[in-house]
Amino acid sequence: MPRFLSKTLAAGLLLVSGQALSAPPSAYRQEVVVAASPFQGVHGLALDGKGHLLASNLLGQSVHSIDLSTGAVSTLVGPPMGGADDVALGPDGSIYWTGFFSGQLMRRTPDGKTRVIAKDLPGLNSLAFRRDGRLYVTQLGRGDDVLWEVDPNGKKPRRQILSGHGFLNGFEFGPDDKLYGPLLLKRQIARINVDTGAIETVAEGFGMPVATNFDSSRENLYVVDSVLGQLVRVRVATGEKTVVAQLPTGLDNLTVGPDDQVYVSNMVDNDIRVVNPADGSIRPLVEARLSVPSGIAVAPDDADENVYVADVYAFRRVGGRDGKIAQTTRVLSSRVAFPMHVSVGAKHVVLSTSYLGDLSGVQVLDRASGEVLRTIPNKNGLQGAIELPDGTLLLAEGTTGRLVRVDASESAGTTVLTEGLEGPVGLVADTEAKEPGVYVTEVRSGRVTRVRLSDGARSTVAKGLKAPEGIARHPDGGLIVAEVGGKRLVRIDPATGRSTVIASGLRIGLPESKGFPPGYIPTGVAVGGSGTIYLSSDVESALYRFVPASAPVTEKAQP
């Protein structure tokens, strides 16, 4: 069960911004749609030799330990220090991990002391120790493509080994003291002499190889192919490839035990599976149903209240009443690019992201088929994006503080509607009004602002909120807002600005991370035609609903 259980939430008189406010229209009972999971997309893995598997959790900013006998997950390092893309054990038992977004290399000694041993390395990704205790790390994916040698104690300057080699990812040293790993851009496995910089091809013809590890014989490499969803065994001497197991796409990393059992992480499914290479059998170690649920939406014409979930590593459609996942579009193996926000109209779905520089922007999908119709780049810390009735897109640029229009035409001309907003995150349209506008949450100023579409004029609807993010319109005209800094869900009367609390003590709001716009991973809010409110939890990777207490109990959601 999640940490906060289903319950009836009573309304009462509340003080917001110094005002005594009236009770909300009704009480709500809180229910689980999709239950919590321990990670926010799991990545690097390492065995500690003591019956535990270490797992890195980049967006959740944590390093975890998993009991191999029970699958129980505990947190070794939490936010914000634990933002790890890959993890490894040093010769003295220290744990090292790479901060892809923070650009920091971290170390936790056996006595529990954590410190930064290298910094200013954006895109810091993979790491491995050579037998002599020398440590090597890579940068990739954020404008850099470099292999470094780094002092494990953080005292000596780092030394560049290679650059521009093709995005070297999860690697390991072989018995010959050469480094073996995938070159993503070349779709091959390479052998690198870190003393001379010489590169040789070991095997090629992969979809997207992302990580390698040796088996106990040290004669074979296991490779995970993210796009094809395959675990492949490569005979190092000949380059011969054998598919050992077919898994879902979105594989991220692996580690091999002394018994040659292969532990594989999948960032899309947010899970860890164990493969027995002897027979290709697969068993789950840690399971999940969502990865990083952020922006959510419910189509106003959908009586079944399907919830569209921007799950960062996937785009999903979840039954709001039964919690069943009816559709999953996976990143890397599709054209969908790391969605963080979603809005839904009559014909289109609009996804937006600021997750990775070159992939940041907006995508417009056909709602019926899921086909990507338009992709519009935007590197200005994009948060919310909505489509207006005339096909114009309206984008919230979290970094610049602007709302911009993008024409419906193929030329995609852009104009600034307004600027000077303080961390715009969530958007919801108000196009039926006499003077059509849009409501926007400002995470930095604590305001909900209305922007007039005709000329960009702004008016404050509510202030004094703590980090408001997700926003949606209720059928009664009220605004439902995720007040992340206050860990609560509030209803705002747009005419008076008065607020009432629907629920408090919520598990929402991961700490912001370097390299992301204000709001980081947004907390999403959506409202169905029945008045049921849906909320995503980034902290728990869960989806919840708040049902009017007078409504009949619906089907039991998925565990």
Side-chain angles (χ1 to χ4, degrees), residues 341-429:
H341 283 269
V342 58
S343 60
V344 182
K347 296 182 179 180
H348 298 146
V349 172
V350 178
L351 303 176
S352 58
T353 185
S354 59
Y355 182 65
L356 292 173
D358 290 340
L359 296 177
S360 297
V362 178
Q363 292 183 307
V364 179
L365 281 61
D366 183 277
R367 180 174 155 188
S369 68
E371 178 187 359
V372 177
L373 304 176
R374 299 175 71 193
T375 297
I376 303 158
N378 185 301
K379 297 183 181 181
N380 295 326
L382 197 61
Q383 289 280 18
I386 58 174
E387 186 178 42
L388 300 177
D390 64 358
T392 298
L393 297 174
L394 193 61
L395 318 181
E397 295 182 347
T399 303
T400 66
R402 306 186 308 183
L403 291 189
V404 300
R405 293 178 183 265
V406 179
D407 296 340
S409 65
E410 289 298 321
S411 60
T414 300
T415 57
V416 176
L417 176 62
T418 193
E419 52 191 338
L421 299 169
E422 298 181 42
V425 174
L427 297 176
V428 64

Side-chain angles (χ1 to χ4, degrees), residues 272-519:
I272 301 172
R273 306 184 193 201
V274 187
V275 179
N276 183 351
D279 58 12
S281 60
I282 304 166
R283 64 177 176 85
L285 179 62
V286 181
E287 296 182 276
R289 299 186 63 245
L290 296 175
S291 50
V292 197
S294 46
I296 59 176
V298 174
D301 58 353
D302 183 3
D304 293 329
E305 297 190 1
N306 287 287
V307 183
Y308 293 81
V309 181
D311 207 15
V312 181
Y313 299 120
F315 171 50
R316 308 187 201 268
R317 182 164 51 87
V318 181
R321 301 183 188 280
D322 60 16
K324 293 179 180 178
I325 297 178
Q327 173 190 334
T328 296
T329 304
R330 312 168 79 86
V331 302
L332 300 182
S333 57
S334 75
R335 293 178 60 197
V336 168
F338 299 94
M340 294 171 64
H341 283 269
V342 58
S343 60
V344 182
K347 296 182 179 180
H348 298 146
V349 172
V350 178
L351 303 176
S352 58
T353 185
S354 59
Y355 182 65
L356 292 173
D358 290 340
L359 296 177
S360 297
V362 178
Q363 292 183 307
V364 179
L365 281 61
D366 183 277
R367 180 174 155 188
S369 68
E371 178 187 359
V372 177
L373 304 176
R374 299 175 71 193
T375 297
I376 303 158
N378 185 301
K379 297 183 181 181
N380 295 326
L382 197 61
Q383 289 280 18
I386 58 174
E387 186 178 42
L388 300 177
D390 64 358
T392 298
L393 297 174
L394 193 61
L395 318 181
E397 295 182 347
T399 303
T400 66
R402 306 186 308 183
L403 291 189
V404 300
R405 293 178 183 265
V406 179
D407 296 340
S409 65
E410 289 298 321
S411 60
T414 300
T415 57
V416 176
L417 176 62
T418 193
E419 52 191 338
L421 299 169
E422 298 181 42
V425 174
L427 297 176
V428 64
D430 182 25
T431 53
E432 300 83 11
K434 182 178 180 181
E435 292 186 326
V438 61
Y439 295 101
V440 55
T441 56
E442 298 180 55
V443 70
R444 288 283 188 265
S445 69
R447 293 191 296 257
V448 173
T449 300
R450 190 179 190 276
V451 180
R452 195 162 56 197
L453 293 178
S454 61
D455 58 5
R458 301 200 305 265
S459 58
T460 298
V461 175
K463 60 183 179 180
L465 301 170
K466 295 180 180 179
E469 292 184 0
I471 185 170
R473 296 284 300 278
H474 193 280
D476 67 8
L479 300 173
I480 309 300
V481 175
E483 190 185 1
V484 174
K487 309 297 182 186
R488 59 189 189 177
L489 190 64
V490 301
R491 179 187 182 277
I492 296 172
D493 184 331
T496 65
R498 291 195 291 183
S499 304
T500 48
V501 175
I502 293 170
S504 59
L506 302 177
R507 298 271 299 170
I508 56 176
L510 288 169
E512 291 191 2
S513 178
K514 184 178 179 181
F516 279 84

Side-chain angles (χ1 to χ4, degrees), residues 144-195:
D144 294 285
D145 183 11
V146 185
L147 172 64
W148 299 92
E149 180 181 353
V150 178
D151 178 11
N153 297 309
K155 296 179 180 179
K156 299 177 182 178
R158 56 182 175 261
R159 181 174 69 93
Q160 182 173 312
I161 307 299
L162 287 172
S163 65
H165 42 271
F167 283 6
L168 175 65
N169 207 359
F171 52 80
E172 186 178 33
F173 280 92
D176 56 2
D177 272 345
K178 293 181 179 178
L179 186 154
Y180 291 77
L183 300 180
L184 270 66
L185 299 184
K186 298 180 179 180
R187 298 192 299 168
Q188 63 183 214
I189 304 302
R191 175 170 45 233
I192 300 173
N193 185 322
V194 295
D195 295 319

Side-chain angles (χ1 to χ4, degrees), residues 517-540:
Y520 187 43
I521 304 299
T523 295
V525 176
V527 184
S530 67
T532 296
I533 301 166
Y534 298 89
L535 177 79
S536 64
S537 169
D538 52 356
V539 172
E540 295 192 318

Side-chain angles (χ1 to χ4, degrees), residues 49-63:
K50 301 176 182 179
H52 296 87
L53 178 69
L54 303 177
S56 58
N57 180 355
L58 177 61
L59 292 180
Q61 305 174 51
S62 302
V63 179

